[in-house]
């Protein structure tokens, strides 16, 4: 059983809460919030809290700006770093107060969840979020200096972010997360904290909360946390490997002990759906110009359209666990993405594979990074888009993407990302100045 309105009001009284943050995200995954005093909490819980949607990027025009925030009671939790401040994650509703606003990424995900439920499925997701901790300069601005010489799984004193990471884990546990592991990643200053998989809506909420907590505690340690995919040239970037499984009638629908590799027909069809649509999904799963500096061979980020039950160079990997632990891991997404939209598209693509009984190509067990272009071509292995521009072309070519996201999010996302690419394309970088100004 989840929280009721009375539960939330009671906890707020018992904990002497003074302020409540009503949180939501824009279509690009940026957290927004309206802060209210506790005297307004009951009004908010009755779905009567209005805000100006025209001020949020990708939401609505100025002439249709009145929108309502509808809190998810189960998301009520105190913020460990703020005295007597709590938060509620909200869905956004239209001006009539009754119609879900389909420009709200959380509502987009809920729409696909309902589609899965109609097919008898629930969707579980476990993300692996990587990030960097960098030093601040004397003015408090972020740098790309780490003061950290640690590598994969190293400990302090080499790992100078260890204490910060420890406090992040404790804060997340205070907020209801189940932390499964935390460790230093491959690159200097790079970290990973893994929390337990959950039903997809809760997981997407958790990713947004996770990023906020990481950034907050980094600042408390005089550091800057970034989920930028590739902040430093020549070293690994940060990914958000997305582990997924479908449940049906209390069982893992991806597991079949009698099938090859222990993978059910449903699992194979889900993989096929992902592979069919992953080029278009990449525009959402890897949303920045910078994302494509990570998606290059040689830095552990998969760029080739393939799947495998044993090969970490494949785009889609099936980890060894079977039974209830059977899952599919998409390795291309990065943590700059909007998790609601990324997970909605992954689920929708998998369901499309199931509905249309798609069959994936044969799994690839070679090290794809070592294959020549001719070998890749001979094996029919295609690759992901190489830039945000290419990704947006694929985004527009796949009509499934438009249907899954809905007209509002699709149009606004396309508009925003084409503008971002155009700004990048026409800007002059330090690399260009340093290389060309002296010579020409």
């Amino acid at each position: 059983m989840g929280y009721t309105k009375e539960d939330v009001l009671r906890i707020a009284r018992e904990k002497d809460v003074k302020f409540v943050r009503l949180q939501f995200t824009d279509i690009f995954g940026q957290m927004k919030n309206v802060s209210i005093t506790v005297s307004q909490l009951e009004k908010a819980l009755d779905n009567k809290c209005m805000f100006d949607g025209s001020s949020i990027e990708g939401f609505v025009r100025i002439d249709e700006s009145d929108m309502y925030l509808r809190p998810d009671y189960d998301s009520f939790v105190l913020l460990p770093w703020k005295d007597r401040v709590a938060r509620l994650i909200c869905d956004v509703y239209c001006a009539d107060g009754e119609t879900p606003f389909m420009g709200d990424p959380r509502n987009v995900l809920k729409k696909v969840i309902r589609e899965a439920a109609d097919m008898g499925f629930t969707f579980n997701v476990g993300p692996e979020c990587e990030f960097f901790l960098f030093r601040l300069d004397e003015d408090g601005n972020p740098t790309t200096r780490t003061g950290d010489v640690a590598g994969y799984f190293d400990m302090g004193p080499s790992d100078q972010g260890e204490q910060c990471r420890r406090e992040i884990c404790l804060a997340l546990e205070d907020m209801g997360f189940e932390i499964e592991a935390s460790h230093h990643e491959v690159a200097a200053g790079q970290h990973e904290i893994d929390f337990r998989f959950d039903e997809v809506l809760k997981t997407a909420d958790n990713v947004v909360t996770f990023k906020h907590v990481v950034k907050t505690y980094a600042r408390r340690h005089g550091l800057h946390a970034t989920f930028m995919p590739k902040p430093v040239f020549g070293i690994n970037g940060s990914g958000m490997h997305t582990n997924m499984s479908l449940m049906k009638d209390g069982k893992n629908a991806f597991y079949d002990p009698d099938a090859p590799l222990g993978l059910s027909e449903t699992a194979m069809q889900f993989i096929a759906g992902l592979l069919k649509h992953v080029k278009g999904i990449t525009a959402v799963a890897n949303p920045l110009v910078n994302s494509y500096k990570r998606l290059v061979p040689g830095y552990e980020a998969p760029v080739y359209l393939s799947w495998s039950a044993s090969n970490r160079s494949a785009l889609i990997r099936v980890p060894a666990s079977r039974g209830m632990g059977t899952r599919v891991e998409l390795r291309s997404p990065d943590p700059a993405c909007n998790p609601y939209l990324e997970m909605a598209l992954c689920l929708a693509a998998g369901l499309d594979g199931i509905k249309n009984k798609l069959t994936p190509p044969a799994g690839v067990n070679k090290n794809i990074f070592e294959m020549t272009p001719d070998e890749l071509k001979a094996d029919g292995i295609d690759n992901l888009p190489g830039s945000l521009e290419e990704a947006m072309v694929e985004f527009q070519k796949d009509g499934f993407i438009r249907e899954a996201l809905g007209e509002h999010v699709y149009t606004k996302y396309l508009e925003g990302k084409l503008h971002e690419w155009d700004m990048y394309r026409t800007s002059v970088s330090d690399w260009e100045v340093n290389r060309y100004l002296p010579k020409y």
Side-chain angles (χ1 to χ4, degrees), residues 195-234:
F195 47 90
R196 189 179 187 277
F197 75 91
D198 212 322
E199 185 276 326
V200 62
L201 185 64
K202 179 70 178 297
T203 297
D205 287 342
N206 282 345
V207 170
V208 174
T209 298
F210 173 81
K211 292 199 280 190
H212 183 53
V213 171
V214 168
K215 286 181 170 290
T216 297
Y217 276 84
R219 279 285 168 165
R220 290 164 68 94
H221 281 262
L223 300 168
H224 175 73
T226 182
F227 293 91
M228 181 179 175
K230 184 80 168 184
V232 181
F233 169 75

Side-chain angles (χ1 to χ4, degrees), residues 134-143 145 219 222-224:
F134 290 129
R135 288 178 170 177
L136 302 173
D137 66 17
E138 57 275 9
D139 296 320
N141 298 312
T143 70
R145 293 182 285 108
R219 279 285 168 165
L223 300 168
H224 175 73

Side-chain angles (χ1 to χ4, degrees), residues 61-79:
R61 298 183 296 273
I62 194 70
D63 59 342
E64 49 186 23
S65 58
D66 290 340
M67 312 198 84
Y68 284 91
L69 293 175
R70 183 172 289 199
D72 182 336
Y73 297 166
D74 289 341
S75 70
F76 184 75
V77 68
L78 271 69
L79 303 181

